[in-house]
Structures are given as C-alpha cells and as structure tokens.
Amino acid sequence: MASVKKKISLLYEFLLSNKTKEIFERLTLVIAILSFIVHLALIYINKFTPLFNDDSELFGNPIGAIYTPFSFILLYEVYLLIFYLPRSITTYISKQYEIITLIIIRRLFKDLSNLRLSSDWFSIKGDLQFTYDIIASLLLFYLLYWFYRLNKNRKKISEQNTALAVDVERFIGLKKIISIGLVPILLVLAVYTLGSWSYETLFMGANDLDSIKNINNVFFDEFFTVLIIVDVILLLVSFFYTDKFHKVIRNSGFVISTILIRLSFSVDGLINTILIVAAVVFGLLILAIHNTYEKQL
C-alpha cells in the first residue's frame, strides 16, 4: 500500500508539479509563437499559390492567424485546470470559466477577419455573432472578477473556521489520482481531435463554412464531457467526507454549470452565448450563497 502511494506521489510530481507547470508554460509560449508565424506564412503563400479554399475563414485574412496561438494557449489553460483540481474545487471551476471565455475571445479573432462593415449589420449572421461574442466576453471577464473575489473570501473564512482533517487529505489524494488520469486523456483527445479535423479539412475537401465553424468546438466539446463525468464523481465522493447541505448544493451547482457549458457547444448564435453566460452566472450565485452559509454557520 505504501509503495502504491509512493508511486502515485512520484507520478503526480512528474506530471503536475510546479516545475512541470513552468516547463509546460514555456513550451506552450514557444509553440504558440512558432504556430503564429507558420499560420501567417501559409496565409501569404495561399494568396500567390492557392492551397486552401478562397472562402476559408482561417486562411483568407492575416487576422485569422491569431486563432492558432490562442488554441495552444487554451490547451495550457486546460492543463492548469487539471493542475488546480487537487488544490481547490472552486479554482478548478474558475479555470473552466477562463477556458470558455478564452474560446469566445479566440472566436472573436475569427469573426474580426470576416466582418462585413455595412448598414445591414444586424441582418448579417457573421456580424451578429461578433456582436454577441464581444458583449459576452466583457460580461464573462467581469463575472470572473467577482468569482475570484468570492473565492478569495471563501478561503479566508475556511482558514478561520477549520483545520485540515484526515478525511480532507484523503479527498485531496483522490483528486490527485483523477488529475493524473486526466493528463493522458487530455493528450489523447488533443491529438485525436486535431488530427481528425486536419485530415478532413486538408485531405477530404471539407474546407467549407460548416467545417471551419466546427473548429471552435474541436477538442473542447469532448473535454467538457469528460469534465462532467469528473464533476459527478467528485460530487458523489464528497458525500463520504461531508454532509453539510451548503457544500453539497455548491458541488451540485458546479456540475450543473459545467453541463450548461457543454450544452453550449451543441448550439450556435445567440443561444450559444446565452448558455455560456448563464453557466457562469449560475456558478457565481452558487458560490455567493455558499459563502453566506459559511459566514453564518
């Protein structure tokens, strides 16, 4: 038993230590810069020697090149989500909100490269989507500020009221095992989904509007499905360590928030934006009410 714990601890340190995080951060920045340069080069090559469809949203305008480095930054955010899972549930949830906010920001760059500046702004689907996204990004940025502020207040309350118990240590141990398992899942999903999309786009002639639109969902719809499973497992296991009503409701609320984010990938337009904002608002209100309980109990 002791040897198993030691192996888990060593594997955790190898995959999710502060040192590993710093290495992954630097690697991500290097890849992001190189990918931006390569994408720009392909765009200009495409102008003289057509390689892609002329209507391509990612290869028709240099602004679209920003989309690629943002995709690698998003993968780093996914790693941070896994990194913070054993440390704090609320920080782990906040990383989900950061990811969906960055997905919208990334989508804005694609929208910018295809804007049609005309008097018929509200009748053009692409321009409407840009309007939805730019308003949603501001709202989500502000909501994240309040979520982090509430999370900071929650930590202060917890430090004043409780000490780290043996049961909590066991729960953290379980979260570490889950985090270790999520790392290879992240890698396999990233390689498989990107590879599948690239093959369909480059070799099967699927470079039409629908396929380019779907790149916004590549990897993340599957990954958020995995997160729902993880959230439910954490919710069920938490019953072994606490029977406090407000904590059960908080954990349940976070599951619902994750499900709403996952549902947003299955729709487009205004409904997509509404679901994302509603998910973050719901999580924020759940945390605010939970903190009120913590102060009174």
Side-chain angles (χ1 to χ4, degrees), residues 92-109:
Y92 156 76
I93 294 296
S94 70
K95 289 299 172 184
Q96 292 187 26
Y97 298 160
E98 282 186 12
I99 288 169
I100 197 63
T101 302
L102 285 172
I103 287 174
I104 290 181
I105 295 292
R106 182 183 67 167
R107 195 164 64 193
L108 274 172
F109 288 115

Side-chain angles (χ1 to χ4, degrees), residues 31-277:
I31 293 174
I33 293 169
L34 291 175
S35 66
F36 178 61
I37 294 170
V38 170
H39 196 156
L40 271 178
L42 286 173
I43 288 172
Y44 284 106
I45 291 171
N46 193 51
K47 286 186 176 181
F48 301 102
T49 307
L51 300 173
F52 308 99
N53 193 310
D54 292 336
D55 297 326
S56 171
E57 292 180 315
L58 293 181
F59 295 96
N61 191 311
I63 296 176
I66 306 173
Y67 194 97
T68 302
F70 249 82
S71 298
F72 288 105
I73 292 170
L74 272 166
L75 283 177
Y76 176 67
E77 282 290 323
V78 170
Y79 175 80
L80 287 181
L81 178 148
I82 298 172
F83 178 84
Y84 283 109
L85 172 58
R87 293 161 173 81
S88 168
I89 289 291
T90 47
T91 303
Y92 156 76
I93 294 296
S94 70
K95 289 299 172 184
Q96 292 187 26
Y97 298 160
E98 282 186 12
I99 288 169
I100 197 63
T101 302
L102 285 172
I103 287 174
I104 290 181
I105 295 292
R106 182 183 67 167
R107 195 164 64 193
L108 274 172
F109 288 115
K110 181 173 71 67
D111 295 341
L112 274 169
S113 64
N114 294 280
L115 277 181
R116 299 179 185 177
L117 301 177
S118 70
S119 57
D120 297 325
W121 182 281
F122 294 103
S123 63
I124 301 173
K125 184 178 178 181
D127 292 355
L128 271 177
Q129 185 62 56
F130 174 79
T131 306
Y132 301 150
D133 289 345
I134 202 165
I135 293 172
S137 61
L138 290 172
L139 283 173
L140 291 170
F141 193 29
Y142 187 65
L143 291 169
L144 270 169
Y145 160 75
W146 279 105
F147 193 89
Y148 280 122
R149 187 168 177 174
L150 288 173
N151 190 32
K152 186 177 180 181
N153 293 337
R154 181 198 63 81
K155 288 179 180 177
K156 289 180 180 178
I157 296 168
S158 298
E159 287 171 0
Q160 292 171 359
N161 293 344
T162 61
L164 192 64
V166 174
D167 285 346
V168 177
E169 287 278 16
R170 289 175 180 170
F171 190 40
I172 291 173
L174 174 65
K175 290 193 290 182
K176 285 182 177 181
I177 294 173
I178 293 174
S179 297
I180 292 170
L182 281 175
V183 172
I185 291 175
L186 160 65
L187 293 174
V188 170
L189 272 180
V191 172
Y192 174 76
T193 53
L194 181 61
S196 297
W197 180 85
S198 299
Y199 177 78
E200 291 174 3
T201 302
L202 300 176
F203 299 105
M204 296 181 66
N207 196 20
D208 56 18
L209 185 62
D210 290 334
S211 65
I212 295 298
K213 176 186 65 178
N214 289 338
I215 194 175
N216 293 302
N217 300 343
V218 167
F219 171 76
F220 289 101
D221 51 355
E222 290 89 353
F223 188 72
F224 270 94
T225 301
V226 173
L227 290 187
I228 291 172
I229 297 171
V230 170
D231 289 353
V232 172
I233 291 172
L234 292 174
L235 171 64
L236 295 175
V237 173
S238 69
F239 283 101
F240 287 103
Y241 304 107
T242 181
D243 58 355
K244 292 182 179 180
F245 175 75
H246 65 288
K247 291 194 178 295
V248 172
I249 292 297
R250 182 200 64 176
N251 295 340
S252 301
F254 287 159
V255 174
I256 293 171
S257 181
T258 304
I259 291 172
L260 288 174
I261 292 174
R262 173 60 185 85
L263 288 174
S264 71
F265 290 107
S266 62
V267 291
D268 297 315
L270 184 59
I271 302 300
N272 169 271
T273 307
I274 289 173
L275 279 173
I276 292 170
V277 174

